[in-house]
């Protein structure tokens, strides 16, 4: 007699591949071949007829569900049935999408398949003809299109509303919003002003006018608009956060902090408000507190690259360079065009001693923006750290050509020249630094050291004394001063300096 265990294993090996996960191993799901028509135009209240063609390998009976959406919102659907033809009648003008779903009842819901369908296709079409629309209809359509991101269509509808009713404040307000999103700020400002002229009580219009003025860098006027918005709606948090942003741009960081705190009192769920609050705290040097606010902003909305950059900046100020680097990297993942994030990455890498990586990052920046002097200066610093002083000198020179008044670039150039033994040139560069920033003690000290090397002991002594008057704790300054005094045969003074 054959072994029963062997027989069972044999049967299982034969049967299981046939059954498969869903119990129908040889049955294949249906495939949608086409959905027609597509990209067509009909008049409002005309019928639109759609035909779906599908193929099922086993000729299983199919069911279909057609879904009509407008600007991402479902309008109606056919419901699951066996009819592959669907007729609908769109009510309003605009862009529509029809999507058809199919299933044969053998796969949907089983392992490896979607819960509700086996395949799908979509087509778009447009409905035209304004019919008997009134101003309110056009405004409503404009609002829907604006929210969906169809700015051209939204603008067209707001303009039609204005043509019918020039005194309709909401139409001017809507048009202003569209133009502001199109970056047409001067035109947007005119629209908000017109809306406010008709209805001065609209707090949102005052706020958005203020935001537009900020884009035009007319900050004082913007603040007046934000104050008007606040006066119209005392519990409206948005103008408070926008007011804080305007103060930031104006360099009034304490006022920015006060306004952002007020905004958060009214609405603590605003990522924007927490972000502005964090930026204000960082500008005041309160980097630890800034991180708390910036992290709260990120917890609400982690997709804002600027907030990640601000977080990186605060972390770097606290000496947490590895964490700063991760924040900058996150910013570049969200928006690779953020040059500030790439620069932050490079500078953090320099602080971590990763100078080769930093050079690659700065090269990436200059490949995008060849005239970015900050990238050239950062690259030069990394090259100097690696002892590549000739390359550093060249890079600092390129940065200076772009920004001749950059004292830090001149100082870097002077250091490179010093390391290359180009003492006369280094002295001239340090003098250039001091002409740009007379309070730069590092440049004054560098100048004094070069003067000592060139045997200009009297000049060196005078330069060291200028540094010592401001910083008497730097031992290298006292040594340099002593060297100059020794060269001048001022032995007693030199002894005191040493």
């Amino acid at each position: 007699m054959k072994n029963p265990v062997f027989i069972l294993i044999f049967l299982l090996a034969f049967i299981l591949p046939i059954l498969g996960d869903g119990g129908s191993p040889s049955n294949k799901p249906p495939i949608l071949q086409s959905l027609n028509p597509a990209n067509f135009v009909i008049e409002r209240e005309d019928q639109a007829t759609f035909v779906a063609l599908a193929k099922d390998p086993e000729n299983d009976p199919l069911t279909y569900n057609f879904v009509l959406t407008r600007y991402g919102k479902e309008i109606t659907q056919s419901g699951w049935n066996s009819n592959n033809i669907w007729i609908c009648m769109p009510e309003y003008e605009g862009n529509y999408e029809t999507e058809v779903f199919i299933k044969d009842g053998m796969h949907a819901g089983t392992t490896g398949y979607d819960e509700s369908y086996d395949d799908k296709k979509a087509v778009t079409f447009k409905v035209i003809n304004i019919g008997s629309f009134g101003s309110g209809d056009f405004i409503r359509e404009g609002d829907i299109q604006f929210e969906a991101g169809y700015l051209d269509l939204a603008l067209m509808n707001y303009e039609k509303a204005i043509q019918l009713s020039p005194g309709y404040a909401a139409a001017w307000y809507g048009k202003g919003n569209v133009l502001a999103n199109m970056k047409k700020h001067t035109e947007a400002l005119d629209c908000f002003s017109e809306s406010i002229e008709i209805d001065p009580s609209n707090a949102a219009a005052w706020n958005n006018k203020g935001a537009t003025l900020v884009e035009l860098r007319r900050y004082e006027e913007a603040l007046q608009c934000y104050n008007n918005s606040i006066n119209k709606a005392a519990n409206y948090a948005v103008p408070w956060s926008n007011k804080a942003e305007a103060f930031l741009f104006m360099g009034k960081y304490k006022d920015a902090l006060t306004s952002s705190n007020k905004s958060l009192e009214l609405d603590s769920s605003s990522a924007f408000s927490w972000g502005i609050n964090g930026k204000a705290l960082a500008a005041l040097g309160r980097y630890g507190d800034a991180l708390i606010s910036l992290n709260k902003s990120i917890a609400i909305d982690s997709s804002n690259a600027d907030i990640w950059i601000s977080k990186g900046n605060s972390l770097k100020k606290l000496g947490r360079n590895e964490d700063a680097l991760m924040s900058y990297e996150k910013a570049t993942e969200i928006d690779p065009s953020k040059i500030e994030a790439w620069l932050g990455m490079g500078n953090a890498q320099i602080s971590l001693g990763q100078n080769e990586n930093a050079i690659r990052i700065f090269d990436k920046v200059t490949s995008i923006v060849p005239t970015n002097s900050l990238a050239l200066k950062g690259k030069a610093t990394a090259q100097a750290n690696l002892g590549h002083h000739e390359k550093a000198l060249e890079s600092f020179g390129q940065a200076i050509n772009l920004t001749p008044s950059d004292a830090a670039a001149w100082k870097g150039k002077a250091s490179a020249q010093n390391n290359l033994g180009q003492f006369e040139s280094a002295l001239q560069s340090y003098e250039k630094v001091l002409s740009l920033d007379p309070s730069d003690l590092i440049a004054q000290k560098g100048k004094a050291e070069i003067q000592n090397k060139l045997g200009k002991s009297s000049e060196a002594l005078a330069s060291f004394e200028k540094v010592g008057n401001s910083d008497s704790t730097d031992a290298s300054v006292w040594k340099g001063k002593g060297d100059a005094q020794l060269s001048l045969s001022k032995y007693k003074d030199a002894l005191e300096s040493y």
Side-chain angles (χ1 to χ4, degrees), residues 302-326:
S302 61
S303 65
N304 189 324
D306 288 329
I307 299 302
W308 283 102
I309 292 171
S310 295
K311 180 177 178 178
N313 293 342
S314 288
L315 287 165
K316 193 165 190 317
K317 288 289 186 180
L318 292 170
R320 295 168 56 182
N321 291 295
E322 289 185 0
D323 293 332
L325 183 59
M326 287 190 288

PDB file of all heavy atoms in Angstrom, residues 302-326:
ATOM      1  N   SER A 302       4.460  69.215   7.338  1.00  0.00           N
ATOM      2  CA  SER A 302       5.881  68.877   7.158  1.00  0.00           C
ATOM      3  C   SER A 302       6.370  69.120   5.732  1.00  0.00           C
ATOM      4  O   SER A 302       7.507  68.776   5.401  1.00  0.00           O
ATOM      5  CB  SER A 302       6.121  67.409   7.523  1.00  0.00           C
ATOM      6  OG  SER A 302       5.371  66.553   6.675  1.00  0.00           O
ATOM      7  N   SER A 303       5.540  69.732   4.892  1.00  0.00           N
ATOM      8  CA  SER A 303       5.888  69.895   3.479  1.00  0.00           C
ATOM      9  C   SER A 303       6.430  71.275   3.137  1.00  0.00           C
ATOM     10  O   SER A 303       6.623  71.594   1.965  1.00  0.00           O
ATOM     11  CB  SER A 303       4.659  69.613   2.607  1.00  0.00           C
ATOM     12  OG  SER A 303       3.645  70.583   2.838  1.00  0.00           O
ATOM     13  N   ASN A 304       6.669  72.119   4.150  1.00  0.00           N
ATOM     14  CA  ASN A 304       7.146  73.479   3.898  1.00  0.00           C
ATOM     15  C   ASN A 304       8.668  73.510   3.969  1.00  0.00           C
ATOM     16  O   ASN A 304       9.258  73.442   5.049  1.00  0.00           O
ATOM     17  CB  ASN A 304       6.530  74.448   4.917  1.00  0.00           C
ATOM     18  CG  ASN A 304       6.812  75.903   4.582  1.00  0.00           C
ATOM     19  OD1 ASN A 304       7.874  76.250   4.088  1.00  0.00           O
ATOM     20  ND2 ASN A 304       5.842  76.759   4.849  1.00  0.00           N
ATOM     21  N   ALA A 305       9.309  73.631   2.828  1.00  0.00           N
ATOM     22  CA  ALA A 305      10.778  73.609   2.773  1.00  0.00           C
ATOM     23  C   ALA A 305      11.387  74.768   3.552  1.00  0.00           C
ATOM     24  O   ALA A 305      12.441  74.615   4.190  1.00  0.00           O
ATOM     25  CB  ALA A 305      11.245  73.647   1.320  1.00  0.00           C
ATOM     26  N   ASP A 306      10.744  75.942   3.520  1.00  0.00           N
ATOM     27  CA  ASP A 306      11.306  77.110   4.208  1.00  0.00           C
ATOM     28  C   ASP A 306      11.405  76.888   5.716  1.00  0.00           C
ATOM     29  O   ASP A 306      12.345  77.367   6.357  1.00  0.00           O
ATOM     30  CB  ASP A 306      10.451  78.345   3.925  1.00  0.00           C
ATOM     31  CG  ASP A 306      10.616  78.843   2.502  1.00  0.00           C
ATOM     32  OD1 ASP A 306      11.718  78.668   1.947  1.00  0.00           O
ATOM     33  OD2 ASP A 306       9.658  79.385   1.938  1.00  0.00           O
ATOM     34  N   ILE A 307      10.432  76.183   6.281  1.00  0.00           N
ATOM     35  CA  ILE A 307      10.469  75.922   7.723  1.00  0.00           C
ATOM     36  C   ILE A 307      11.599  74.958   8.054  1.00  0.00           C
ATOM     37  O   ILE A 307      12.298  75.115   9.069  1.00  0.00           O
ATOM     38  CB  ILE A 307       9.121  75.365   8.215  1.00  0.00           C
ATOM     39  CG1 ILE A 307       8.006  76.386   7.952  1.00  0.00           C
ATOM     40  CG2 ILE A 307       9.176  75.036   9.698  1.00  0.00           C
ATOM     41  CD1 ILE A 307       8.222  77.725   8.610  1.00  0.00           C
ATOM     42  N   TRP A 308      11.833  73.965   7.208  1.00  0.00           N
ATOM     43  CA  TRP A 308      12.965  73.060   7.416  1.00  0.00           C
ATOM     44  C   TRP A 308      14.286  73.822   7.325  1.00  0.00           C
ATOM     45  O   TRP A 308      15.238  73.538   8.069  1.00  0.00           O
ATOM     46  CB  TRP A 308      12.936  71.929   6.400  1.00  0.00           C
ATOM     47  CG  TRP A 308      11.923  70.866   6.709  1.00  0.00           C
ATOM     48  CD1 TRP A 308      10.700  70.699   6.125  1.00  0.00           C
ATOM     49  CD2 TRP A 308      12.041  69.825   7.689  1.00  0.00           C
ATOM     50  NE1 TRP A 308      10.045  69.625   6.678  1.00  0.00           N
ATOM     51  CE2 TRP A 308      10.844  69.067   7.639  1.00  0.00           C
ATOM     52  CE3 TRP A 308      13.031  69.463   8.588  1.00  0.00           C
ATOM     53  CZ2 TRP A 308      10.621  67.971   8.461  1.00  0.00           C
ATOM     54  CZ3 TRP A 308      12.817  68.368   9.413  1.00  0.00           C
ATOM     55  CH2 TRP A 308      11.618  67.632   9.344  1.00  0.00           C
ATOM     56  N   ILE A 309      14.363  74.786   6.424  1.00  0.00           N
ATOM     57  CA  ILE A 309      15.581  75.606   6.313  1.00  0.00           C
ATOM     58  C   ILE A 309      15.778  76.422   7.592  1.00  0.00           C
ATOM     59  O   ILE A 309      16.886  76.487   8.140  1.00  0.00           O
ATOM     60  CB  ILE A 309      15.496  76.544   5.094  1.00  0.00           C
ATOM     61  CG1 ILE A 309      15.538  75.720   3.798  1.00  0.00           C
ATOM     62  CG2 ILE A 309      16.635  77.555   5.107  1.00  0.00           C
ATOM     63  CD1 ILE A 309      15.233  76.524   2.551  1.00  0.00           C
ATOM     64  N   SER A 310      14.699  77.039   8.078  1.00  0.00           N
ATOM     65  CA  SER A 310      14.789  77.822   9.316  1.00  0.00           C
ATOM     66  C   SER A 310      15.206  76.941  10.489  1.00  0.00           C
ATOM     67  O   SER A 310      16.005  77.353  11.338  1.00  0.00           O
ATOM     68  CB  SER A 310      13.436  78.492   9.614  1.00  0.00           C
ATOM     69  OG  SER A 310      13.110  79.434   8.624  1.00  0.00           O
ATOM     70  N   LYS A 311      14.672  75.720  10.519  1.00  0.00           N
ATOM     71  CA  LYS A 311      15.068  74.785  11.571  1.00  0.00           C
ATOM     72  C   LYS A 311      16.563  74.468  11.454  1.00  0.00           C
ATOM     73  O   LYS A 311      17.290  74.457  12.464  1.00  0.00           O
ATOM     74  CB  LYS A 311      14.248  73.498  11.478  1.00  0.00           C
ATOM     75  CG  LYS A 311      14.609  72.473  12.545  1.00  0.00           C
ATOM     76  CD  LYS A 311      13.735  71.226  12.468  1.00  0.00           C
ATOM     77  CE  LYS A 311      14.159  70.197  13.527  1.00  0.00           C
ATOM     78  NZ  LYS A 311      13.297  68.996  13.508  1.00  0.00           N
ATOM     79  N   GLY A 312      17.023  74.224  10.242  1.00  0.00           N
ATOM     80  CA  GLY A 312      18.444  73.955  10.028  1.00  0.00           C
ATOM     81  C   GLY A 312      19.310  75.118  10.491  1.00  0.00           C
ATOM     82  O   GLY A 312      20.362  74.923  11.130  1.00  0.00           O
ATOM     83  N   ASN A 313      18.871  76.345  10.197  1.00  0.00           N
ATOM     84  CA  ASN A 313      19.637  77.526  10.606  1.00  0.00           C
ATOM     85  C   ASN A 313      19.748  77.618  12.129  1.00  0.00           C
ATOM     86  O   ASN A 313      20.824  77.933  12.666  1.00  0.00           O
ATOM     87  CB  ASN A 313      18.981  78.788  10.051  1.00  0.00           C
ATOM     88  CG  ASN A 313      19.057  78.871   8.541  1.00  0.00           C
ATOM     89  OD1 ASN A 313      19.864  78.184   7.911  1.00  0.00           O
ATOM     90  ND2 ASN A 313      18.229  79.699   7.946  1.00  0.00           N
ATOM     91  N   SER A 314      18.637  77.360  12.826  1.00  0.00           N
ATOM     92  CA  SER A 314      18.667  77.426  14.291  1.00  0.00           C
ATOM     93  C   SER A 314      19.539  76.323  14.875  1.00  0.00           C
ATOM     94  O   SER A 314      20.299  76.544  15.827  1.00  0.00           O
ATOM     95  CB  SER A 314      17.243  77.326  14.855  1.00  0.00           C
ATOM     96  OG  SER A 314      16.518  78.518  14.604  1.00  0.00           O
ATOM     97  N   LEU A 315      19.445  75.129  14.314  1.00  0.00           N
ATOM     98  CA  LEU A 315      20.276  74.022  14.783  1.00  0.00           C
ATOM     99  C   LEU A 315      21.755  74.328  14.592  1.00  0.00           C
ATOM    100  O   LEU A 315      22.587  74.032  15.455  1.00  0.00           O
ATOM    101  CB  LEU A 315      19.898  72.738  14.047  1.00  0.00           C
ATOM    102  CG  LEU A 315      18.561  72.102  14.448  1.00  0.00           C
ATOM    103  CD1 LEU A 315      18.133  71.079  13.404  1.00  0.00           C
ATOM    104  CD2 LEU A 315      18.664  71.450  15.823  1.00  0.00           C
ATOM    105  N   LYS A 316      22.081  74.940  13.462  1.00  0.00           N
ATOM    106  CA  LYS A 316      23.488  75.274  13.204  1.00  0.00           C
ATOM    107  C   LYS A 316      23.980  76.322  14.197  1.00  0.00           C
ATOM    108  O   LYS A 316      25.124  76.260  14.667  1.00  0.00           O
ATOM    109  CB  LYS A 316      23.663  75.770  11.768  1.00  0.00           C
ATOM    110  CG  LYS A 316      25.133  75.816  11.361  1.00  0.00           C
ATOM    111  CD  LYS A 316      25.309  75.946   9.882  1.00  0.00           C
ATOM    112  CE  LYS A 316      26.761  75.735   9.494  1.00  0.00           C
ATOM    113  NZ  LYS A 316      27.729  76.403  10.364  1.00  0.00           N
ATOM    114  N   LYS A 317      23.141  77.283  14.507  1.00  0.00           N
ATOM    115  CA  LYS A 317      23.522  78.298  15.491  1.00  0.00           C
ATOM    116  C   LYS A 317      23.796  77.669  16.859  1.00  0.00           C
ATOM    117  O   LYS A 317      24.604  78.185  17.635  1.00  0.00           O
ATOM    118  CB  LYS A 317      22.413  79.343  15.613  1.00  0.00           C
ATOM    119  CG  LYS A 317      22.286  80.278  14.424  1.00  0.00           C
ATOM    120  CD  LYS A 317      23.440  81.247  14.356  1.00  0.00           C
ATOM    121  CE  LYS A 317      23.247  82.275  13.250  1.00  0.00           C
ATOM    122  NZ  LYS A 317      24.383  83.225  13.180  1.00  0.00           N
ATOM    123  N   LEU A 318      23.105  76.577  17.156  1.00  0.00           N
ATOM    124  CA  LEU A 318      23.297  75.872  18.420  1.00  0.00           C
ATOM    125  C   LEU A 318      24.447  74.868  18.359  1.00  0.00           C
ATOM    126  O   LEU A 318      24.701  74.144  19.320  1.00  0.00           O
ATOM    127  CB  LEU A 318      22.000  75.155  18.819  1.00  0.00           C
ATOM    128  CG  LEU A 318      20.819  76.068  19.196  1.00  0.00           C
ATOM    129  CD1 LEU A 318      19.546  75.258  19.319  1.00  0.00           C
ATOM    130  CD2 LEU A 318      21.109  76.817  20.497  1.00  0.00           C
ATOM    131  N   GLY A 319      25.123  74.809  17.211  1.00  0.00           N
ATOM    132  CA  GLY A 319      26.242  73.892  17.060  1.00  0.00           C
ATOM    133  C   GLY A 319      25.838  72.458  16.777  1.00  0.00           C
ATOM    134  O   GLY A 319      26.687  71.563  16.788  1.00  0.00           O
ATOM    135  N   ARG A 320      24.564  72.235  16.486  1.00  0.00           N
ATOM    136  CA  ARG A 320      24.073  70.886  16.206  1.00  0.00           C
ATOM    137  C   ARG A 320      24.112  70.655  14.693  1.00  0.00           C
ATOM    138  O   ARG A 320      23.093  70.601  14.006  1.00  0.00           O
ATOM    139  CB  ARG A 320      22.666  70.713  16.769  1.00  0.00           C
ATOM    140  CG  ARG A 320      22.614  70.799  18.288  1.00  0.00           C
ATOM    141  CD  ARG A 320      21.201  70.912  18.822  1.00  0.00           C
ATOM    142  NE  ARG A 320      20.339  69.822  18.378  1.00  0.00           N
ATOM    143  CZ  ARG A 320      19.043  69.740  18.684  1.00  0.00           C
ATOM    144  NH1 ARG A 320      18.473  70.669  19.443  1.00  0.00           N
ATOM    145  NH2 ARG A 320      18.322  68.724  18.231  1.00  0.00           N
ATOM    146  N   ASN A 321      25.332  70.539  14.183  1.00  0.00           N
ATOM    147  CA  ASN A 321      25.525  70.544  12.736  1.00  0.00           C
ATOM    148  C   ASN A 321      24.972  69.302  12.043  1.00  0.00           C
ATOM    149  O   ASN A 321      24.484  69.385  10.914  1.00  0.00           O
ATOM    150  CB  ASN A 321      27.007  70.724  12.418  1.00  0.00           C
ATOM    151  CG  ASN A 321      27.499  72.113  12.773  1.00  0.00           C
ATOM    152  OD1 ASN A 321      27.072  73.090  12.188  1.00  0.00           O
ATOM    153  ND2 ASN A 321      28.392  72.197  13.752  1.00  0.00           N
ATOM    154  N   GLU A 322      25.066  68.147  12.686  1.00  0.00           N
ATOM    155  CA  GLU A 322      24.519  66.931  12.065  1.00  0.00           C
ATOM    156  C   GLU A 322      23.003  67.044  11.923  1.00  0.00           C
ATOM    157  O   GLU A 322      22.439  66.683  10.877  1.00  0.00           O
ATOM    158  CB  GLU A 322      24.894  65.709  12.891  1.00  0.00           C
ATOM    159  CG  GLU A 322      26.373  65.357  12.807  1.00  0.00           C
ATOM    160  CD  GLU A 322      26.696  64.062  13.530  1.00  0.00           C
ATOM    161  OE1 GLU A 322      25.748  63.450  14.089  1.00  0.00           O
ATOM    162  OE2 GLU A 322      27.874  63.670  13.533  1.00  0.00           O
ATOM    163  N   ASP A 323      22.337  67.532  12.982  1.00  0.00           N
ATOM    164  CA  ASP A 323      20.889  67.718  12.902  1.00  0.00           C
ATOM    165  C   ASP A 323      20.539  68.793  11.879  1.00  0.00           C
ATOM    166  O   ASP A 323      19.547  68.674  11.156  1.00  0.00           O
ATOM    167  CB  ASP A 323      20.325  68.112  14.277  1.00  0.00           C
ATOM    168  CG  ASP A 323      20.437  66.985  15.294  1.00  0.00           C
ATOM    169  OD1 ASP A 323      20.438  65.809  14.879  1.00  0.00           O
ATOM    170  OD2 ASP A 323      20.528  67.275  16.497  1.00  0.00           O
ATOM    171  N   ALA A 324      21.346  69.839  11.829  1.00  0.00           N
ATOM    172  CA  ALA A 324      21.117  70.905  10.846  1.00  0.00           C
ATOM    173  C   ALA A 324      21.211  70.347   9.435  1.00  0.00           C
ATOM    174  O   ALA A 324      20.382  70.651   8.565  1.00  0.00           O
ATOM    175  CB  ALA A 324      22.122  72.034  11.041  1.00  0.00           C
ATOM    176  N   LEU A 325      22.223  69.508   9.207  1.00  0.00           N
ATOM    177  CA  LEU A 325      22.407  68.908   7.885  1.00  0.00           C
ATOM    178  C   LEU A 325      21.187  68.100   7.480  1.00  0.00           C
ATOM    179  O   LEU A 325      20.725  68.185   6.327  1.00  0.00           O
ATOM    180  CB  LEU A 325      23.657  68.030   7.904  1.00  0.00           C
ATOM    181  CG  LEU A 325      24.063  67.362   6.585  1.00  0.00           C
ATOM    182  CD1 LEU A 325      24.306  68.410   5.513  1.00  0.00           C
ATOM    183  CD2 LEU A 325      25.309  66.509   6.793  1.00  0.00           C
ATOM    184  N   MET A 326      20.614  67.345   8.401  1.00  0.00           N
ATOM    185  CA  MET A 326      19.422  66.552   8.085  1.00  0.00           C
ATOM    186  C   MET A 326      18.236  67.452   7.749  1.00  0.00           C
ATOM    187  O   MET A 326      17.441  67.138   6.858  1.00  0.00           O
ATOM    188  CB  MET A 326      19.088  65.634   9.257  1.00  0.00           C
ATOM    189  CG  MET A 326      20.045  64.462   9.406  1.00  0.00           C
ATOM    190  SD  MET A 326      19.491  63.210  10.607  1.00  0.00           S
ATOM    191  CE  MET A 326      19.740  64.092  12.132  1.00  0.00           C
TER     192      MET A 326
END
